[in-house]
Amino acid sequence: MSLKGKTALVTGSTSGIGLGIALGLARAGANVVLNGFGDAAAVIAEVEQFGARVGHHPADVSDPAQIAEMFAYAERKFGGVDILVNNAGIQHVASVEDFPVERWDAIIAINLSSVFHSTRLALPAMRNKGWGRIVNIASVHGQVGSVGKAAYVAAKHGVIGLTKVVGLETATSNVTCNAICPGWVLTPLVQKQIDDRAAGGVDPQQAQHDLLAEKQPSLEFVTPAHLGELVLFLCSEAGSQVRGAAWNIDGGWLAQ
Ligand code: NAD
């Protein structure tokens, strides 16, 4: 499949899953607008290897004004956004009664409200062009809970709800909106949770095994490259009637 001539914006793509998706889209020929914190130059070079045009905007997606600036940048530099991947996300683990209010607000802003803001800014141009793909990186935690993850689970359930509504509101157009629900993917976000377990004196390899064994029957991680391939499928003609879905890719987590 070729995405030549299309432009993809992937939020939170300087690391982990977002970077894997950006690489998949670039390999298929799309121009890519990267977003996220950290060393943008190295990531731009990595994504540019496939010959696509690549830009980076440092918007903090907890701020709607910065999201709007990022879309203005994409319009100026690439003529707009055809594929929007809402991926940026953070985690904080604590019980509800100990959950810092500031962390709750940040998780809701970054993991949920940013999806609304990017979507409302992307849709008019997609409708005008007569084609668009919106893919929201939710989580298995958009469908089930886990202790200690109140804000994350609430935000991801919200993302799936929003995905359904946008899927319905675009149902008679060539714009689709879907969510992907990964299980464990070994990225910095999950490595921190493994490190927290190992900090209690558990061997790091054992901590990683325990993390998988608790939830993910395959006992293997999903990879950012797997997720990139699924995004490409949703961008393809064969994916055009997948609408408002929450697609599990979780080593069997949600089958239990
Ligand atoms: P990660 O920490 O590796 O990457 C997060 C990215 O988001 C980074 O590029 C970071 O710079 C960016 N980011 C963070 N805060 C931001 C902000 N305020 N504005 C803009 N960018 C910001 O995390 P990851 O594991 O790759 O997670 C990516 C997405 O996948 C998240 O939405 C996460 O909830 C979801 N997810 C992850 C897993 C997993 O097991 N890793 C499983 C299911 C869902």
Side-chain angles (χ1 to χ4, degrees):
M1 182 192 38
S2 173
L3 293 175
K4 237 181 174 37
K6 306 278 193 220
T7 296
L9 189 161
V10 186
T11 67
S13 45
T14 49
S15 153
I17 293 171
L19 176 55
I21 292 171
L23 288 167
L25 290 163
R27 197 180 293 115
N31 300 320
V32 179
V33 179
L34 299 164
N35 158 254
F37 306 139
D39 182 1
V43 181
I44 290 172
E46 193 178 345
V47 181
E48 269 177 343
Q49 67 178 303
F50 300 107
R53 290 174 59 214
V54 181
H56 170 264
H57 193 280
D60 177 338
V61 301
S62 67
D63 177 1
Q66 292 187 42
I67 297 175
E69 284 165 20
M70 180 167 62
F71 273 84
Y73 164 83
E75 180 66 40
R76 269 196 320 276
K77 183 153 175 161
F78 296 100
V81 174
D82 305 292
I83 300 163
L84 168 64
V85 182
N86 286 305
N87 166 79
I90 59 168
Q91 176 64 283
H92 185 86
V93 181
S95 61
V96 169
E97 61 268 42
D98 295 328
F99 215 92
V101 171
E102 166 276 323
R103 287 287 84 197
W104 170 276
D105 289 343
I107 289 175
I108 297 300
I110 293 166
N111 296 19
L112 175 58
S113 299
S114 79
V115 181
F116 161 68
H117 293 297
S118 294
T119 302
R120 72 181 171 79
L121 291 166
L123 271 177
M126 288 178 175
R127 285 192 193 279
N128 279 342
K129 285 189 189 173
W131 193 91
R133 292 288 183 268
I134 300 173
V135 182
N136 298 325
I137 306 306
S139 166
V140 286
H141 286 120
Q143 303 190 52
V144 293
S146 287
V147 292
K149 297 186 176 174
Y152 188 87
V153 169
K156 295 299 187 180
H157 275 70
V159 167
I160 291 180
L162 175 58
T163 301
K164 289 175 180 169
V165 172
V166 177
L168 291 173
E169 291 184 0
T170 53
T172 57
S173 75
N174 280 329
V175 178
T176 71
C177 177
N178 293 289
I180 292 177
C181 300
W184 292 124
V185 187
L186 190 54
T187 66
L189 183 143
V190 166
Q191 187 62 51
K192 183 178 178 310
Q193 295 174 56
I194 295 170
D195 294 346
D196 289 346
R197 285 168 181 249
V202 183
D203 169 65
Q205 277 303 109
Q206 187 63 41
Q208 183 169 308
H209 174 84
D210 293 349
L211 178 106
L212 284 167
E214 271 173 21
K215 304 276 189 181
Q216 197 143 306
S218 68
L219 300 179
E220 289 180 7
F221 288 103
V222 182
T223 69
H226 292 155
L227 295 165
E229 291 296 319
L230 183 49
V231 170
L232 288 186
F233 172 72
L234 292 172
C235 291
S236 72
E237 172 54 27
S240 64
Q241 288 308 320
V242 184
R243 293 174 182 271
W247 190 313
N248 312 337
I249 173 165
D250 63 358
W253 183 321
L254 291 176
Q256 298 167 100

